[in-house]
Every structure is written in structure tokens, then in C-alpha cells.
Amino acid sequence: MSNSPIQNPKVDVERVNEIKKASFWVSQVFIIIATVLGVYLAASQGYKQAVQFENMKSYKESYYLQKSLQYELQDNIALLKTYIGKLQNANYYGARNEPLNFYSLVWDNMKFSSATLATPPEFLRQAQGFYRNVAKLHDSIAKSDISVDNGLKQLRIEIDLVEQDLIPGLEKSTQTIKQELSGTDVIL
């Protein structure tokens, strides 16, 4: 071990003088402001992109849900028309009690989909009314609570409501969604 005295580190006089100058502090303030502003702008743009992505995803899910409901209703109308044809056939005695066997995959699974509530409420209400009213009419016809002729008239009214109001409404809604997504990279 040597007995040499500990030397003080040399202080850079130029550096100390630079720190004392106002230009040093002004440049540091601008660096801090630029950093904060840059972080804010990046976060803001990221948030906007996330919201836009979520909206496009919601539109796409809503489009597919409404289109699927539209197709299911069209198929069920065809089944109902077949049932009506059987009821009108005087030689077919089992028609009153024949089950409708509606397709209900979409309707049943809509209760588990977050996109269901993005569907305009009037469409959900009309579809719900259709299913409910047809089931009630079918049951009343089967139990002879109402005459076949009266039941047929009421079933035709239900068909007309769906064909003239609900299905065109769903078609218009899906076309609006399709136009909304036309300028994006979303493929329907």
C-alpha cells in the first residue's frame, strides 16, 4: 500500500460554466416539454386507433349477426308457409299437430352475443314478437282453441310483418354497416 495522498477529482471548469448559462436550462426545458408532448400525442393516437379498431370489430359482428338473423327468419318463413299449405290441404289430417321445427340457432345464441345489443331494438322486438306469436298461434290451432281459417289469417299477418318490415329493415341496416366499413380494410 502506498502512502500517496488521495487526489481530488478534477472539476471541468468549462462544464460548470456551461451549467450556469441560461441556454443550458432553456434547452433542458424544451427537451422535457418535447418529451411530454410526444408521449401525450402518441398515447392520444394509440387511444384513437384502439377506439376505431373496437368500432370496426363491433360493426363487423353486428353485420354478421343481423345478416344471420335475416337468413334464419327467411328460412323460418318458408317453413311456416309449408305448414300453412299443409293446413289448407283438407286431405292432410295431421297438419294441426305437426311441429313447426323452426331453425333457431341464431335466435337462441343471440342471448350470448355482445353484438345482440348493437342490433337496433325494433328488429329484436319484431323478431321476438314473430317467434312468440307464431308459437302461440300454432299451439292454439293444434288445441283447436281457434279455427284453422282464423289461425291461417293470423299466421299470414305474421308472415307479412316479417317479410314487409323486418327483413327489409335488417337488409337496410346491414347495407348501412357495409357502407360504413367500405373505406376500411375490414372484409365482410
Side-chain angles (χ1 to χ4, degrees):
M1 203 164 196
S2 83
N3 287 342
S4 62
I6 300 177
Q7 297 179 357
N8 289 334
K10 293 183 180 179
V11 176
D12 186 5
V13 176
E14 271 186 44
R15 189 167 172 104
V16 170
N17 288 338
E18 179 68 29
I19 291 174
K20 290 180 182 178
K21 291 183 181 177
S23 63
F24 172 79
W25 291 108
V26 169
S27 68
Q28 294 302 313
V29 168
F30 279 120
I31 290 172
I32 291 171
I33 290 172
T35 303
V36 169
L37 186 61
V39 169
Y40 170 76
L41 292 174
S44 176
Q45 191 62 29
Y47 176 74
K48 287 178 186 175
Q49 290 295 322
V51 168
Q52 185 179 14
F53 172 77
E54 192 60 36
N55 284 341
M56 283 191 261
K57 181 181 169 196
S58 176
Y59 278 139
K60 185 176 181 179
E61 289 173 355
S62 184
Y63 174 85
Y64 284 125
L65 183 84
Q66 290 180 38
K67 202 52 129 165
S68 297
L69 179 60
Q70 176 186 342
Y71 292 149
E72 184 174 275
L73 286 166
Q74 289 170 329
D75 291 344
N76 287 337
I77 291 292
L79 289 173
L80 189 54
K81 286 179 178 179
T82 301
Y83 173 73
I84 287 173
K86 290 176 183 178
L87 277 177
Q88 290 173 326
N89 184 354
N91 295 328
Y92 187 53
Y93 296 109
R96 280 180 170 257
N97 296 319
E98 187 171 304
L100 286 175
N101 294 326
F102 273 173
Y103 302 110
S104 62
L105 175 70
V106 176
W107 185 249
D108 290 342
N109 283 296
M110 283 176 69
K111 57 184 123 174
F112 303 110
S113 172
S114 61
T116 299
L117 297 179
T119 304
E122 63 269 12
F123 299 149
L124 297 175
R125 185 175 186 197
Q126 289 173 335
Q128 181 184 35
F130 169 74
Y131 284 118
R132 182 185 56 243
N133 294 341
V134 168
K136 183 178 176 184
L137 287 169
H138 179 263
D139 189 50
S140 295
I141 292 169
K143 292 179 180 177
S144 297
D145 289 343
I146 60 172
S147 69
V148 172
D149 288 337
N150 190 20
L152 288 173
K153 287 177 190 173
Q154 291 181 34
L155 287 172
R156 285 190 192 104
I157 290 170
E158 292 298 324
I159 290 172
D160 289 344
L161 287 172
V162 171
E163 286 183 329
Q164 295 171 8
D165 193 27
L166 181 54
I167 290 175
L170 285 167
E171 182 64 34
K172 184 178 178 184
S173 178
T174 55
Q175 286 302 324
T176 302
I177 293 170
K178 200 172 193 178
Q179 288 173 351
E180 191 77 30
L181 293 175
S182 66
T184 66
D185 294 333
V186 177
I187 298 171
L188 295 175

